[in-house]
Amino acid sequence: MNLGPWRNRLSFGLGTLGRDMSAALVSMYLMYYLTEVLHIPASATAAVTVIIVVMRIFDALNDPVMGVIVDNTRSRFGKFKPWIALGAGLWAAATLGIFVDTGLTGWAFLAWFTVVYLLWSVAYTINDISFWGMLPALSQDQQERERIGVIARICANIGLFAVVVAVVPVTKALGAALGSEQLGWLVFAALLVALKLLFQSLTLLFTKQQVATSAAHTPFRELVQVIGKNDQLLWAAGAMLCFMSGYATVTSLGIYYFKYVYRDEGAYSVFAAILAVAQLAGLAVFPLVRRYLKRLQIHSLATALCLAGLVVFWFAGSSLPVVGVAGVLLFTGQAFIQLLMLMFIADCVEYGQWKLGRRNESVTLAVQPFIYKASNAIGSGFVGLALLVSGISGARQVDDVTADGVAAFKLVMLVVPMVLIVASWVILRSGYRLDEKRYGEIVAELEQRGATAA
């Protein structure tokens, strides 16, 4: 057995474990922390929603800029690792800052929140662009990229679902032990930050680049050209933006669903455990499915699974087994699409090199975190909308939410994502042409160009 490739597969993959724990805590539960733990008023909920949406869009627009900075970096440690380290450190500090109770209220609280959330977003950008930008430099072989990507997504989802399963019981237990629910959340955040720094260290110490990166300098004035002229990247990005916006809406509203619709907040952890198994199983069987189906065929299958899951969710009522079936369908399909979108974008590195004559890993992969942030911004907008139209934002107890409020909540949580997922499939099929055959032709031509130049 050749253990060489496993060095990169594991050291890169494990690097996602702690970082996705931290990311999940803020991206999925920040609004819950503010409304259910700090109990900010409805007016502050509306203001915070606007701040998060605006800041995430602003930060997302900075992702390609960070990609240019990384691509132009020259150091003894390469162009990726210095930024991974810097981003991880700043990100850790900002995460703790978010969950520190300053005692501020009103405009002072909103000002503090804006500053610390902006720092969190910028640090996330620095780390995310450099980390995922390294992926195309680890292998130029599609199947090896898929193997690295599968392990990375499995580790990332283990981290994400560990938080999803643990967030309610652990924060409550810590809160009871410390005498303050808010302190429980702060300690929980500190534990996740420590794990992030630990696992990111494995990537920094052991991951080795295998593909030579371009020595050409990319001027900032050509940033729009690098992305705008890569038509395959734009089609993949558009499809991913629609899908992830729907996914972010569903996942962010999940904890509210179990508290105000299902009326059993404790069942959320059980449901999350079911989803974790479903998604991890989906990622694990992807290589097997890949033997029999091409990527676009898997994408259609996964889209159908997601839509079926949302439909079952709508009719699940108070039956946890039926809710579980809905979750398995939705998150198995999501696991496939999550990995496929990463591969679609990674393959656009070679397409851009073939078309434009310059290899830009970080700029190209910067589209992925841009999409995650933009989709989270859109999802946060729908979350805020759902909380306001349902009456949850002003509710002090579960019974304060009416039947009409529940119906409005489900409409935003389930129907809006259905529309976005269908739009994603249509966009990808309309213009993405970088299938296995075409990618192989492009790589072969690039190798021929390199041999001719040599």
Side-chain angles (χ1 to χ4, degrees):
M1 178 180 179
N2 182 13
L3 297 178
W6 282 98
R7 176 187 179 119
N8 274 352
R9 293 172 193 170
L10 292 177
S11 60
F12 184 80
L14 289 171
T16 67
L17 192 55
R19 70 187 299 279
D20 275 64
M21 288 180 171
S22 262
L25 183 66
V26 175
S27 63
M28 294 178 65
Y29 300 107
L30 176 57
M31 286 294 289
Y32 183 84
Y33 169 76
L34 294 174
T35 59
E36 306 297 316
V37 178
L38 293 188
H39 298 293
I40 63 174
S43 58
T45 300
V48 165
T49 299
V50 172
I51 291 170
I52 290 176
V53 171
V54 171
M55 298 299 288
R56 284 181 176 174
I57 293 174
F58 169 77
D59 188 45
L61 294 174
N62 291 329
D63 285 345
V65 176
M66 189 64 212
V68 172
I69 294 173
V70 174
D71 274 340
N72 289 338
T73 298
R74 305 290 180 266
S75 79
R76 56 179 293 199
F77 302 106
K79 68 182 185 179
F80 303 110
K81 291 185 178 181
W83 295 109
I84 293 175
L86 176 62
L90 292 176
W91 192 2
T95 301
L96 295 179
I98 286 176
F99 293 97
V100 170
D101 185 6
T102 61
L104 298 173
T105 59
W107 288 106
F109 165 76
L110 293 177
W112 164 258
F113 177 80
T114 300
V115 171
V116 73
Y117 187 77
L118 176 61
L119 177 60
W120 185 90
S121 298
V122 171
Y124 177 91
T125 294
I126 294 172
N127 182 269
D128 212 44
I129 298 299
S130 50
F131 183 85
W132 289 109
M134 187 190 295
L135 175 60
L138 299 181
S139 178
Q140 207 168 32
D141 178 77
Q142 270 192 326
Q143 292 187 340
E144 179 59 21
R145 275 187 189 171
E146 288 174 3
R147 296 185 188 103
I148 297 172
V150 164
I151 293 175
R153 293 316 314 170
I154 287 176
C155 291
N157 281 285
I158 289 174
L160 185 153
F161 281 105
V163 172
V164 171
V165 171
V167 63
V168 172
V170 172
T171 54
K172 286 186 179 298
L174 289 172
L178 297 171
S180 165
E181 190 175 4
Q182 187 278 324
L183 281 178
W185 278 78
L186 177 59
V187 172
F188 187 58
L191 292 173
L192 300 187
V193 161
L195 290 173
K196 172 171 62 181
L197 295 176
L198 172 63
F199 286 109
Q200 286 274 281
S201 297
L202 298 180
T203 300
L204 294 172
L205 292 173
F206 299 111
T207 303
K208 300 295 182 183
Q209 184 174 319
Q210 302 296 324
V211 180
T213 54
S214 175
H217 181 81
T218 302
F220 279 99
R221 66 178 180 274
E222 296 182 13
L223 172 60
V224 176
Q225 175 183 332
V226 170
I227 297 176
K229 290 191 174 182
N230 193 325
D231 55 290
Q232 295 302 289
L233 178 61
L234 294 178
W235 284 109
M240 187 176 182
L241 177 62
C242 284
F243 179 84
M244 292 306 300
S245 296
Y247 173 71
T249 301
V250 174
T251 54
S252 297
L253 288 172
I255 193 168
Y256 290 100
Y257 176 90
F258 277 90
K259 183 173 182 177
Y260 290 98
V261 180
Y262 188 77
R263 303 296 180 99
D264 183 1
E265 189 177 7
Y268 178 71
S269 295
V270 177
F271 177 70
I274 296 172
L275 300 189
V277 173
Q279 193 165 58
L280 294 173
L283 290 169
V285 302
F286 181 88
L288 177 62
V289 177
R290 185 72 171 84
R291 293 180 184 178
Y292 302 100
L293 298 176
K294 295 185 180 297
R295 284 181 174 179
L296 290 178
Q297 292 174 322
I298 298 175
H299 180 261
S300 293
L301 171 64
T303 299
L305 289 174
C306 289
L307 293 174
L310 291 172
V311 171
V312 173
F313 220 131
W314 180 272
F315 294 103
S318 59
S319 172
L320 186 59
V322 177
V323 171
V325 170
V328 168
L329 291 170
L330 174 61
F331 281 81
T332 300
Q334 188 275 336
F336 285 172
I337 292 180
Q338 187 181 56
L339 180 60
L340 286 170
M341 290 296 183
L342 175 61
M343 295 300 105
F344 290 154
I345 291 175
D347 288 352
C348 290
V349 171
E350 281 74 27
Y351 179 78
Q353 182 182 3
W354 170 81
K355 186 174 182 180
L356 304 176
R358 183 170 55 212
R359 186 178 180 86
N360 290 104
E361 296 98 339
S362 294
V363 173
T364 303
L365 268 293
V367 170
Q368 179 185 241
F370 168 85
I371 291 167
Y372 280 130
K373 291 173 185 175
S375 62
N376 272 325
I378 296 171
S380 294
F382 284 124
V383 168
L385 176 64
L387 298 183
L388 292 171
V389 299
S390 65
I392 290 177
S393 63
R396 304 305 295 178
Q397 53 187 340
V398 172
D399 291 335
D400 290 344
V401 180
T402 65
D404 288 341
V406 168
F409 177 88
K410 290 176 65 176
L411 185 68
V412 178
M413 180 181 174
L414 301 175
V415 176
V416 169
M418 288 183 196
V419 174
L420 291 170
I421 289 171
V422 171
S424 172
W425 185 88
V426 172
I427 290 170
L428 192 75
R429 288 311 176 98
S430 296
Y432 190 79
R433 301 290 181 263
L434 202 56
D435 58 12
E436 290 85 346
K437 179 181 178 182
R438 183 60 183 140
Y439 178 82
E441 293 170 351
I442 287 172
V443 170
E445 185 171 335
L446 289 174
E447 291 175 349
Q448 184 177 8
R449 289 182 190 177
T452 302

